[in-house]
Amino acid sequence: MPELPEVEAARRAIEENCLGKKIKKAIVANDSKVIEGVSASDFQSSLLDKTIVSAHRKGKNLWLHLDSPPFPSFQFGMAGAIYIKGVAVTTYKRSAVKDNDEWPSKYSKFFVELDDGLELSFTDKRRFARVRLLKDPTSVPPISELGPDALFEPMTVDEFTESLSKKKIAIKALLLDQSYISGIGNWIADEVLYQARIHPLQISSSLSKENCATLHKCIKEVIEKAVEVGADSSQFPSNWIFHSREKKPGKALVDGKIIDFINAGGRTSAYVPELQKLSGTQATKAAGKPRKQTSKSKGGKDEDNDEDDEGDGPTSEEKETTKTSKSKKGGNTRGRGKKPPMKRKSKESDDDNSGGNDDDSSEDDDEDPKEKAGKVKSKTNTSNKQAKTAKTSEQTVSNRNSKKLKKRVK
C-alpha cells in the first residue's frame, strides 16, 4: 500500500514533469465517496486554466499548489496512485493501471490534460482514497492533524528518545499513529523494528536509550533508501523483511530466520522472534502466557489489510473503514454467548420420537427457572389428567362389553 516513499515518488514525478504548465482539460469522477465535499462539475471548473506551481506532501497526503486557490488534495488510502502518461511512476500491488489498460483508467478519479499535451491521472481501485478541493490543505484535517513528517521534519535523537519515554503504548502502535509521526505505515513500521531488533509489542517507554537511538537511525535509513530508489520494491535491500512479510507462516524467512506474525497496533505484523524479543517485565509476563498467532489468508496475504484504507493504526479513517466493512458484511450474526440456530427435526424423527422434544429443551434453556418449573408442573398435571381420563374411558368400555356378554349368555 502507498506509504511515505510511494507518495513521495508521485510528488517528485509531478514536480519533474508538470510544474509551470496550465490545465487545459479536467475530468473528475462523479464519485461522492472519493471526491469529498464538492461536485464533480464544480471541481472541474475550478481547475481549468490554472497553472501548477508546486507539488507538496506531508505523511501520505499530497496536494498541488496552483496559481490561485482552491487546491486539489489527495489522501491515497489503500490503492490511490498517480500516473503520468508516458512517464514512469512507481506502481505497487494494489494500484490499478497497467501499460496495456485503457487511458484514462476506468478507476480514474481525477484527470487533467496540460497545455503541452501531458496527461495526469489519480486512480483509486478500492475507493478508500479521498480527493478534496481546499483553500488551504494544511489548515484542515487530515493534514492539520498530522505529526512531523518522517522524511522532511524528523525529530532529533534526543527529541525522539524523550518523546518515547512518555509513551505507555506498544512501539508498533505508536509508529502507526500519524499524529505522532506522519508517513510510517504497516510495512515501514515492520521494517524499522526488524532492523532495530525491537519487538512490535514492546512498550515505548521501556526502551533503553540505545534502543531509541538505533530505532531513530533505522527509521531514517529505511525511509531514505526507499525514497532513493523511487519506492521500487525490487530495489529494496535483500536483507529487508519486506520481501517475505506477505508469505505464508512457516514459509516466510529473512536471512534464514523464521518470520512470525502477530497482531500489533491493530495490524498483522511481521517480526523475527529469534531476534526481536520482549524485554524487562514484559518478557517475564509473556513467558507465562500462550502466544496468539495472527491468521493469514490462503495466498499469504494480510486479511485485515483489506479492511482499512490508510493502514495506520489509530486513525479516524481506519475506524470509519472498519465500520463500513462491518456494515457491508452484516456484522457477526453469532455473537459470543449466543446459541447456534436450532436444528429442525425431520418428519421421520417426529413420528419416531418417544424421548421428548429436543427443540423444547433448547428453548427452555433461556427461560427463567421459576417459569420453567411452572411449565414442567403444568405439563405433569396435564399428563395426569389425560391418563385418568383414558383409564376412565377404558373402564366404561369394559363395563359395556361385560353387560353385552351377560345378555348373550341368557
Side-chain angles (χ1 to χ4, degrees), residues 129-307:
R130 297 293 180 268
V131 180
R132 304 175 177 95
L133 188 65
L134 303 171
K135 184 176 181 180
D136 180 7
T138 62
S139 67
V140 294
I143 296 173
S144 64
E145 297 176 342
L146 297 176
D149 184 81
L151 178 65
F152 294 149
E153 307 163 308
M155 298 183 202
T156 65
V157 176
D158 291 340
E159 289 172 340
F160 187 60
T161 302
E162 177 65 20
S163 69
L164 289 181
S165 69
K166 300 173 182 177
K167 304 295 183 180
K168 305 295 184 183
I169 65 171
I171 185 62
K172 170 75 182 278
L174 182 61
L175 293 176
L176 292 176
D177 183 354
Q178 299 300 289
S179 67
Y180 178 64
I181 298 175
S182 59
I184 296 177
N186 203 32
W187 81 255
I188 293 180
D190 282 353
E191 193 62 57
V192 299
L193 290 173
Y194 166 67
Q195 298 295 335
R197 304 300 192 253
I198 295 172
H199 194 289
L201 296 178
Q202 188 70 43
I203 298 301
S204 303
S205 61
S206 70
L207 292 172
S208 66
K209 288 186 177 181
E210 292 74 18
N211 286 152
C212 294
T214 301
L215 181 57
H216 181 273
K217 177 173 174 285
C218 290
I219 291 173
K220 181 178 184 295
E221 290 178 349
V222 167
I223 290 177
E224 287 184 351
K225 182 60 180 179
V227 169
E228 178 189 325
V229 298
D232 181 356
S233 59
S234 68
Q235 296 186 55
F236 290 172
S238 60
N239 66 341
W240 279 16
I241 200 173
F242 176 92
H243 299 291
S244 300
R245 63 189 303 277
E246 291 197 2
K247 292 181 180 178
K248 293 181 180 179
K251 294 185 178 180
L253 301 171
V254 57
D255 283 347
K257 300 186 184 302
I258 295 174
I259 297 172
D260 211 345
F261 301 91
I262 57 172
N263 186 292
R267 304 298 306 282
T268 296
S269 304
Y271 82 115
V272 178
E274 185 179 339
L275 302 177
Q276 297 169 261
K277 299 178 184 293
L278 288 169
S279 61
T281 56
Q282 282 184 271
T284 305
K285 291 179 181 179
K289 292 182 181 180
R291 188 186 60 77
K292 291 183 179 180
Q293 186 179 32
T294 299
S295 63
K296 301 191 78 161
S297 61
K298 290 182 180 179
K301 295 179 182 178
D302 182 349
E303 291 179 338
D304 67 353
N305 275 357
D306 288 342
E307 304 222 357

Side-chain angles (χ1 to χ4, degrees), residues 383-403:
S383 298
N384 289 340
K385 287 180 182 179
Q386 289 176 343
K388 287 180 181 179
T389 302
K391 188 173 182 181
T392 303
S393 177
E394 288 176 0
Q395 287 177 347
T396 302
V397 172
S398 177
N399 290 338
R400 286 177 181 174
N401 289 340
S402 177
K403 287 180 181 180

Side-chain angles (χ1 to χ4, degrees), residues 3 26 34 56 63-64 66 98 108 113 124 246 261 270-271 282 300 344 358:
E3 298 185 22
V34 177
H56 301 270
W63 67 98
L64 302 181
L66 308 179
K98 297 178 182 178
S108 178
E113 181 182 338
D124 179 27
E246 291 197 2
F261 301 91
Y271 82 115
Q282 282 184 271
R344 292 190 177 185
D358 290 338

Side-chain angles (χ1 to χ4, degrees), residues 371-385:
E371 292 181 6
K372 189 173 180 179
K375 284 189 177 183
V376 171
K377 187 175 180 181
S378 175
K379 287 181 181 180
T380 303
N381 291 339
T382 302
S383 298
N384 289 340
K385 287 180 182 179

Side-chain angles (χ1 to χ4, degrees), residues 17-34:
N17 295 277
C18 304
L19 300 193
K21 298 177 182 180
K22 187 173 289 188
I23 298 171
K24 302 303 295 180
K25 179 181 180 181
I27 302 174
V28 176
N30 187 21
D31 184 346
S32 59
K33 182 181 177 183
V34 177

Side-chain angles (χ1 to χ4, degrees), residues 52-69:
I52 300 175
V53 175
S54 56
H56 301 270
R57 179 195 58 76
K58 186 166 186 178
K60 293 178 280 184
N61 294 264
L62 180 150
W63 67 98
L64 302 181
H65 189 87
L66 308 179
D67 53 5
S68 64

